[in-house]
């Protein structure tokens, strides 16, 4: 949906493809099938009322910049409500479950309630469902771009907490970032991945808790990392588009 909105802005919708109309169709489907009535994002369109996943969420689906673009394109107030709800969840998770690191878990249980919490072991994918793993690795990027382009103070606070922690944990050496952490900062591996380094580089573009030397070092680390499977390299590319000042919003 976001790509279609960008295509409409880039090329217009009077040619062979009506990008704006296609975007509207996708957005209507997302609201109908992928959003909870309380305006959280379902973990999938297969989640149904009464099952344990219906009240949960995946933090990497928290894309406030996208949601604001959807609100502007449709006039639908639910998108703005989704932005507010996701930040309430982020703030609760950071304050109660990761006060020293600011890290977010892959999955959240009770995302629709007053006390969202990291998912327990085996909630959906495995034993690390409640840790900063291969889903949540995207959150510094998802929130970071919103802080950059919209200047949202909630986004800036959230990613600043992550930046402060990772700089201390690595002693300002980006090559020491590894693939996965527990919410208390304990490493889950000994090797790096662009899927983790790249989002933290986007977070470092915000001045809070960051520095130019830290940001430059993250860029150099991304360039030096070897090629990975599609996941890590896709995240690396998308992050580097923003890092190189080539990102834009529809």
């Amino acid at each position: 949906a976001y790509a279609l909105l960008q295509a409409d802005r880039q090329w217009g919708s009077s040619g062979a493809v009506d990008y704006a109309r296609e975007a509207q169709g996708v957005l209507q489907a997302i609201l109908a099938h992928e959003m909870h009535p309380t305006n959280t994002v379902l973990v999938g369109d297969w989640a149904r009322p009464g099952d344990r996943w219906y009240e949960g969420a995946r933090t990497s689906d928290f894309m406030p910049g996208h949601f604001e673009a959807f609100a502007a394109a449709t006039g639908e107030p639910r998108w703005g409500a989704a932005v507010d709800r996701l930040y309430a969840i982020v703030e609760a998770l950071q304050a109660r479950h990761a006060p020293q690191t600011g890290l977010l878990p892959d999955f959240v249980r009770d995302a629709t309630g007053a006390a969202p919490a990291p998912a327990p072991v085996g909630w959906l994918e495995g034993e690390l469902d409640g840790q900063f793993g291969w889903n949540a690795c995207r959150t510094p990027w998802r929130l970071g771009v919103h802080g950059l382009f919209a200047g949202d103070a909630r986004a800036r606070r959230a990613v600043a907490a992550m930046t402060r922690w990772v700089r201390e944990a690595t002693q300002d050496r980006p090559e020491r970032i590894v693939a996965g952490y527990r919410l208390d900062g304990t490493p889950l591996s000994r090797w790096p991945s662009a899927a983790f380094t790249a989002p933290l580089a986007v977070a470092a573009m915000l001045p809070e808790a960051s520095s130019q030397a830290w940001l430059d070092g993250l860029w150099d680390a991304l360039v030096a990392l070897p090629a990975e499977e599609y996941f890590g390299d896709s995240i690396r590319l998308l992050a580097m588009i923003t890092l190189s000042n080539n990102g834009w919003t529809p």
Side-chain angles (χ1 to χ4, degrees):
Y2 193 77
L4 288 165
L5 292 176
Q6 286 188 310
D8 174 59
R9 178 179 169 189
Q10 179 74 27
W11 298 301
S13 293
S14 59
V17 179
D18 188 336
Y19 295 110
R21 185 178 65 183
E22 294 294 334
Q24 293 289 339
V26 174
L27 289 170
Q28 289 173 11
I30 293 172
L31 280 177
H33 302 290
E34 297 181 342
M35 300 295 291
H36 190 277
T38 62
N39 299 313
T40 60
V41 187
L42 296 173
V43 291
D45 61 1
W46 44 263
R48 293 289 183 267
D51 67 34
R52 67 180 180 183
W53 304 287
Y54 189 67
E55 310 299 331
R58 178 188 291 103
T59 59
S60 57
D61 293 337
F62 293 176
M63 297 180 281
H66 287 53
F67 296 170
E68 285 194 349
F70 300 163
T74 64
E76 170 56 61
R78 288 189 65 192
W79 293 117
V83 172
D84 293 338
R85 182 59 194 159
L86 75 84
Y87 278 121
I89 295 170
V90 167
E91 290 170 3
L93 290 170
Q94 289 187 318
R96 300 170 188 168
H97 302 281
Q100 302 303 318
T101 65
L103 297 177
L104 299 174
D106 279 357
F107 298 101
V108 186
R109 62 175 175 83
D110 300 328
T112 63
V121 170
W123 186 78
L124 181 61
E125 292 187 354
E127 63 176 318
L128 301 177
D129 282 355
Q131 308 303 330
F132 183 73
W134 292 96
N135 289 282
C137 63
R138 292 170 282 194
T139 56
W141 159 45
R142 300 296 200 197
L143 303 181
V145 291
H146 192 221
L148 283 169
F149 289 113
D152 192 283
R154 297 166 296 183
R156 299 174 79 97
R157 287 195 298 270
V159 299
M162 302 176 195
T163 296
R164 280 192 294 270
W165 163 76
V166 75
R167 291 189 66 185
E168 181 178 351
T170 62
Q171 297 181 318
D172 272 350
R173 294 179 62 179
E175 69 275 10
R176 291 183 174 179
I177 296 171
V178 298
Y181 294 88
R182 297 192 180 277
L183 297 189
D184 65 3
T186 303
L188 292 172
S189 74
R190 296 182 179 180
W191 60 87
S193 169
F196 290 82
T197 303
L200 288 164
V202 173
M205 296 182 74
L206 297 166
E208 295 90 337
S210 189
S211 73
Q212 188 63 50
W214 171 246
L215 178 58
D216 291 346
L218 283 158
W219 176 272
D220 292 341
L222 281 175
V223 172
L225 283 171
E228 300 181 32
E229 299 293 337
Y230 87 95
F231 187 74
D233 280 345
S234 296
I235 294 174
R236 172 168 25 197
L237 172 62
L238 290 166
M240 292 179 91
I241 288 172
T242 298
L243 288 163
S244 60
N245 200 31
N246 286 294
W248 52 276
T249 58

